[in-house]
Amino acid sequence: MRSIWNGAISFGLVSIPVKLMNATESHAVSFRQIHTEDGGRIRYRKVCELEDREVSQAEIGKAYEDADGSMIPITDEDLSHLPIPTARTIEIVAFVPRERIDPLQMGTAYYLAASGAPAAKPYTLLREALGRSDRVAIAKFALRGRERLGMLRVSGDAIVMHGLLWPDEVRTPEGVAPDAGVTVREQELDLADALMDTLGEIDLDDLHDEYREALEEVIAAKAAGEAPPEAPGPVEPGKVLDLMAALESSVRAARESRGGEGTGTAEVRTLERRERPARRTPKETGGKKSTSTAAGKTAAGKTQARKSTSAARKSTAETDEKTAKSAKTAHAAHTAKTAKSAKTTKTAQTAKTAKTAQKTPDRSTARTTAAKATAGSTAGKGAAKKTASSRRRGA
């Protein structure tokens, strides 16, 4: 690659000689202007308005046009006295997180190459420091007659510098956004998410300029004296008055363009169906609302497979958790029942023992009483006999 600028990166007291090269190139097909009657080339010549003649490049200088239309000549010597310390230096002024840089400010990209062997080590040092810190360097540099703002970052083994617009060169989006009174329904957001998931990701290397390729085929055919190939005419989309119908049709078309992945079919709801009952409100699962019935059918494919798998895993986990809790509860209940049964058995045995013990003293007492009664009866009979014998003797 050819360098367009030579200078040095100023990194504190460290100076890194570098070469600046364009990191991008345009492959657009360019045309020349011709005279349609004879095919003659149309050229633009630089003509002096006062003398009405063509002038050479050596005779052309610079001037600033004042408000009244007068010209103020500015020479290269005038510009050489400007206090621009960055005339041949990329002066790093700060290191900031890359999130601080608004993509609106980013412009042309350049490669910075180490200039000579002595620049290899400090160049590598700056590259590794940038890569490890996950930050970008903000720098000032002068290019094509004016001072510019740049951002240095790491790309592979190289340092890339993006030209940045000055903050006051970025317009504010005043009057760009629609009125705040617009309301978006949850079903519409769900379908928009389904469309995004259906389109999925893509490898940027697979993208190419189809218009340029078709244009080159037309040029090749014309050069060979052949009729240019006919391209199919653009398909005129029908007028869609319902946003939901447009989203559903988009999801269906995206799925078909991806090879017909999924088994669901999209149901397009037209305006005439507005009188029908509204579809059920999407359920909330894990903090994210699910799509409606139509959206669920529409978002078939990879999205539904991922969601179904996630739902199945979640359901399995919940089932396992419930089973574990049930088993634990059943075990606890069984243990409690066993303990209660043992306690009941022990209580019954204790009661029986106490009853037996209570009956035993009663029987012993009865026996003792009976023995005493028997003894008393025997003694009484003996005394009666003795008294009767005494009476007979006295007579």
Side-chain angles (χ1 to χ4, degrees), residues 262-327:
T263 58
T265 58
E267 294 184 359
V268 180
R269 183 173 62 86
T270 60
L271 287 177
E272 290 74 15
R273 299 184 182 180
R274 286 187 179 274
E275 298 298 329
R276 294 189 178 184
R279 288 172 292 186
R280 63 180 183 181
T281 304
K283 298 180 180 179
E284 292 184 4
T285 303
K288 184 177 181 182
K289 296 184 178 180
S290 63
T291 59
S292 62
T293 305
K297 295 181 179 180
T298 306
K302 294 182 178 178
T303 304
Q304 289 296 334
R306 290 196 299 267
K307 291 183 179 180
S308 299
T309 303
S310 177
R313 291 177 178 174
K314 185 175 181 180
S315 177
T316 302
E318 292 177 352
T319 303
D320 293 342
E321 184 178 358
K322 290 180 179 179
T323 303
K325 288 182 179 180
S326 299

Side-chain angles (χ1 to χ4, degrees), residues 142-205:
L143 184 65
R144 298 187 179 96
R146 72 184 188 94
E147 189 174 49
R148 302 169 185 263
L149 191 64
M151 179 192 76
L152 277 65
R153 67 178 183 88
V154 177
S155 177
D157 294 333
I159 298 177
V160 179
M161 182 173 69
H162 294 269
L164 298 179
L165 297 175
W166 296 98
D168 59 356
E169 293 179 319
V170 179
R171 295 178 176 178
T172 58
E174 184 177 358
V176 176
D179 296 336
V182 178
T183 302
V184 179
R185 294 181 297 170
E186 290 296 331
Q187 291 89 344
E188 294 168 343
L189 285 174
D190 290 337
L191 278 176
D193 290 339
L195 178 58
M196 293 168 61
D197 291 337
T198 303
L199 291 175
E201 298 182 358
I202 193 172
D203 189 354
L204 295 180
D205 294 334

